[in-house]
Amino acid sequence: MSPIPVILDCDPGVDDAIAFLLAKQLPQLNVLAITSVAGNVSLEHTNYNALGLLEFLDWDIPVYRGAAGPVFRKRVEAAEVHGSNGMAGYDLPHARSEVEGVNAWDAIHQYALEQQGALEIIAIGPLTNLALAFLKFPDLPQLIKRIVIMGGSSDAGNATPAAEFNIYADPEAADIVFCSGVPVHMCGLDMTMKALMTPDELNQVAALGSKQAVFFRDVVQDIVRFMSRLGITGINMHDPAAVLYAADDSIFTAYPAGIRVETKGTITQGKTVTDLFSDAKWQKNGFVAMDIDREAFVEKVFELMSKY
Ligand code: RIB
Ligand code: CA
């Protein structure tokens, strides 16, 4: 089966960085381009980190600069989790390449036209770029085959009790994407909180010996310490799990669902309201991943990281 043409829309971000490591080694994905967006930290940092990660991985694909903040709201960030530079203070190599002269939403449309309906989007940050692309290009929904996001939750949130960070950061953008007509596969906290790697497993990855494998273990240590204060031993691999889902969903369990985003609530803004079986019988505009075979996930991570 020929590899899936994808754009990776991201806000690196420590777990975004791990997603880069895996995405480069996944034969099922043909990552055509990276689009950066403000999220975990400002666009300056997420864009710089995207370029630096590609340099570190010697990965020659273009980066397109995206939105510096949400469509309507004030920008929020997660520097307390990812560090002020978004990379846990890790100093990535200075990239030789620069961002392309086209912005992210125009690039998404351009690639969608070129791929003639086969393009898929993997979005692991706030959905601002994709929403702006849908607002600017009415023909775009017919040109994108599928959207896989890390975001949302049918149950509890992490940014607030109701909302997961990527959706909370730009609820209006997320609702535009869920209403676009393109099927959205939501890899939310229901599943990603189970995509946990333990400190021992992280050390086993580092023991593979490559600079990328050691980076994998080292760059997540601040988050491991942050999670231990929450009583969780290890790190939830949110973005890597979404990328793996996009490549091969055989180790995941997902159900058709109607999904909308609360944009009016005060305490519930950013909640992904997920209709699996209610009497409301919402139109099934997507799928929600509810489970993962964690052991198979970790085995896959080792297999991919062994390729470096
Ligand atoms: O809630 C986790 C998500 O928010 C991940 O994508 C992480 O990188 C942050 O963007
Ligand atoms: Ca992210």
Side-chain angles (χ1 to χ4, degrees):
M1 191 173 135
S2 51
I4 306 164
V6 303
I7 286 178
L8 181 60
D9 187 62
C10 57
D11 62 335
V14 167
D15 58 327
D16 304 67
I18 305 298
F20 271 59
L21 289 171
L22 303 187
K24 184 169 191 272
Q25 300 295 4
L26 279 161
Q28 301 93 332
L29 300 181
N30 172 16
V31 184
L32 301 170
I34 302 291
T35 50
S36 59
V37 67
N40 287 313
V41 286
S42 71
L43 177 65
E44 290 322 304
H45 285 301
T46 60
N47 204 60
Y48 179 86
N49 293 337
L51 289 164
L53 284 165
L54 295 179
E55 184 72 28
F56 176 63
L57 296 174
D58 196 18
W59 195 4
D60 185 18
I61 54 176
V63 174
Y64 297 89
R65 192 186 174 87
V71 178
F72 295 114
R73 293 172 189 260
K74 191 168 167 303
R75 185 172 72 83
V76 295
E77 64 177 43
E80 73 284 359
V81 178
H82 296 263
S84 55
N85 76 338
M87 211 41 62
Y90 211 93
D91 197 9
L92 290 167
H94 189 74
R96 285 162 296 176
S97 60
E98 283 298 318
V99 285
E100 304 296 316
V102 173
N103 60 42
W105 42 94
D106 290 338
I108 289 169
H109 185 244
Q110 203 174 307
Y111 279 94
L113 287 169
E114 285 165 13
Q115 294 301 320
Q116 299 177 328
L119 182 69
E120 298 191 12
I121 308 289
I122 304 174
I124 55 176
L127 292 168
T128 316
N129 291 339
L130 205 39
L132 291 174
F134 281 126
L135 291 173
K136 184 171 180 182
F137 300 104
D139 64 338
L140 189 58
Q142 286 71 47
L143 296 170
I144 294 179
K145 187 174 180 185
R146 181 175 74 152
I147 299 166
V148 175
I149 71 169
M150 191 284 135
S153 166
S154 74
D155 187 8
N158 58 1
T160 74
E164 179 279 327
F165 176 80
N166 286 336
I167 310 298
Y168 179 70
D170 198 344
E172 287 79 9
D175 202 44
I176 288 168
V177 171
F178 280 112
C179 294
S180 67
V182 180
V184 180
H185 291 246
M186 181 171 100
C187 295
L189 299 177
D190 310 279
M191 178 271 284
T192 65
M193 288 305 284
K194 300 172 193 170
L196 182 92
M197 286 191 75
T198 66
D200 283 351
E201 289 163 344
L202 295 168
N203 286 327
Q204 287 167 40
V205 170
L208 293 170
S210 67
K211 68 171 186 176
Q212 295 88 346
V214 173
F215 171 77
F216 184 113
R217 187 268 316 272
D218 291 353
V219 77
V220 304
Q221 290 309 308
D222 283 359
I223 294 185
V224 169
R225 280 186 283 276
F226 181 92
M227 298 309 290
S228 69
R229 293 195 289 273
L230 302 176
I232 292 177
T233 304
I235 174 170
N236 310 103
M237 288 290 182
H238 301 294
D239 292 343
V243 164
L244 277 188
Y245 178 99
D248 170 9
D249 60 13
S250 61
I251 64 168
F252 300 88
T253 307
Y255 301 96
I259 310 168
R260 290 297 305 270
V261 180
E262 174 58 78
T263 59
K264 302 280 177 287
T266 45
I267 56 174
T268 55
Q269 67 166 331
K271 174 154 189 61
T272 44
V273 182
T274 309
D275 184 21
L276 285 158
F277 46 71
S278 91
D279 292 343
K281 296 188 179 13
W282 281 3
Q283 191 229 337
K284 304 286 190 214
N285 57 340
F287 292 80
V288 56
M290 295 299 282
D291 209 353
I292 183 173
D293 176 338
R294 192 199 79 88
E295 279 59 44
F297 168 72
V298 174
E299 211 175 291
K300 195 74 193 155
V301 169
F302 282 128
E303 177 201 317
L304 294 168
M305 290 306 296
S306 305
K307 294 183 178 179
Y308 282 106

